[in-house]
Amino acid sequence: MTMSLRERQEKLLEILRLLRDKGDFDQAKAMFNEAFSSVSVKEITEAERALIAGGLNPQEIQNLCTVHAEVFRGSIGEQEAGEAFARPGHPVQTLKQENVVLTSLVNDALLPDLAKYEAKPAPELLAKIKQELADLAQVDKHYTRKEISMFPLMTKYGITAPPQVMWGVDDDIRAWIKEARQAAETGEAELLAKKVKQAAKEVTEMIFKEEAIMLPLLTEVATPADWLRVKEDEPRVGYCLIPNTPAWRPSAAELAEKKAADPAAIAKWNDQIGAFAGQLGGNEAENYQKLVEVEQAEGKARPALTDSFIEFAEGSLSYEQLSAVLDLLPLDLVFVDKDDVIRYFGGSCGFYPHSKNDLGMNLFSIHMPKSVPKVKAIVDDLRSGRKDKHAFWFEVRGRFVYIQYLAVRNKAGEYLGVLEVLQDITDLRALQGKNKEL
């Protein structure tokens, strides 16, 4: 007897709750095989969203994510990808190309060399494993591009659960690779095997999740203009184990064509946003309602400012001059308005990559669940007037950075938003003596 869509979702929820409450993989797999011959990515994602709407913390979904993927492996319905996605240089093709190289690195080099090392440790084998792990660590670029460019797109179209889950797993994988590299420095075979196998397994699992879950969802909703912004973001981060990719740009016809979206389907995808956003606290639910739209903000007409002069308290600048000055500042600037919407990126520091796909997004939607409380506390302090500034300084990637979060207020003291100012002060801290010469 054929199940209705509602019955299929209820059965998926039953399976996911079993995994959550009892962790019984074999029973869950048996239940799935009995009930389904295949299942769509959207059905799985909607079921996970229903769990979140019912009160399950997104971080708990993260813990179940790998098990979910394994239960449904081999049964996720295939989705035809359009011809555009197969073109060299398209971000989807690039992500898949990196995954091919990563899979080969793990299965054809790292794990075979590890097996040889376990059988008979030798310095030359350990040196190979160290290099292979260093290569595997480049997956950070792959994940960073995904996080800054693709996750905002998913959130924009109401696909909130997968990016929140995947981001946490990405960070876990980074940590496991780091632990494997540390174990390689000891040379102790048993510890090394444990850490390498964990990292290799999780990298491989993430490849499956990206290609079976994330990309099908994205290719269904993202427009050519969306993918163009993803492509423009790529040089900010770089590529993982592949050379620079061919140039790619949608045709004028593709850019002009509007994505055909079923309003009822979009509404169904978005019906749980309020529940999800409510877990974050504050005014996120209202902002999601404003921001999750199919139409691009860029499509709205804006006044031309190219030849305008802007008057300040002390002097004036043309739009061209002001834009050039802001872009030249040796800082990274981010302005978030009073509604917690990301409105502007500027400066030339380039320490943390950002994406145009973040513009117009809710600030809290582009952070992992575990970091949202801290971000929200900072914004609340600035909005309320309890503080005018938060400052942090720390070392990351061998550089010392100083970050300020500044409350922006008008002359009447009304809160306009928050300005994030990041400065790489590594070279400044190293200055000694004096330099007064040309």
Side-chain angles (χ1 to χ4, degrees), residues 39-47 49 217 220 265 268-269:
V39 64
S40 72
V41 172
K42 184 177 290 189
E43 285 180 300
I44 298 170
T45 306
E46 284 181 344
R49 286 162 60 89
L217 288 172
E220 183 175 326
K268 185 178 180 183
W269 271 98

Side-chain angles (χ1 to χ4, degrees), residues 205-281:
E205 288 290 348
M206 181 53 73
I207 289 171
F208 169 74
K209 294 165 194 168
E210 287 175 353
E211 300 203 5
I213 297 173
M214 183 188 78
L215 288 180
L217 288 172
L218 267 174
T219 54
E220 183 175 326
V221 299
T223 68
D226 290 328
W227 288 119
L228 177 58
R229 279 189 291 275
V230 173
K231 180 67 177 179
E232 290 170 346
D233 288 337
E234 289 180 355
R236 301 174 189 271
V237 179
Y239 301 97
C240 171
L241 301 175
I242 64 172
N244 289 343
T245 62
W248 172 86
R249 183 179 179 86
S251 67
E254 288 172 326
L255 287 172
E257 182 182 352
K258 296 296 182 182
K259 190 88 172 182
D262 177 1
I266 294 296
K268 185 178 180 183
W269 271 98
N270 294 340
D271 62 0
Q272 292 163 0
I273 285 176
F276 176 78
Q279 294 191 31
L280 302 180

Side-chain angles (χ1 to χ4, degrees), residues 117 122-131 183-187 192:
Y117 188 79
E124 61 274 14
L125 276 174
L126 185 59
K128 286 185 67 178
I129 291 170
K130 286 182 179 180
Q131 181 58 56
E185 292 302 319
T186 71
L192 178 61

Side-chain angles (χ1 to χ4, degrees), residues 278-338:
Q279 294 191 31
L280 302 180
N283 64 344
E284 292 83 359
E286 179 184 352
N287 287 334
Y288 270 118
Q289 187 63 33
K290 295 181 199 172
L291 297 170
V292 180
E293 300 175 349
V294 176
E295 293 297 329
Q296 297 298 312
E298 286 76 3
K300 299 175 182 177
R302 296 185 178 184
L305 296 174
T306 308
D307 299 323
S308 301
F309 271 80
I310 303 171
E311 296 291 337
F312 297 99
E314 298 184 13
S316 63
L317 292 170
S318 71
Y319 171 84
E320 182 181 37
Q321 291 168 338
L322 178 60
S323 179
V325 168
L326 289 173
D327 288 344
L328 189 62
L329 292 175
L331 311 164
D332 279 342
L333 304 174
V334 182
F335 177 69
V336 179
D337 73 12
K338 62 183 179 63

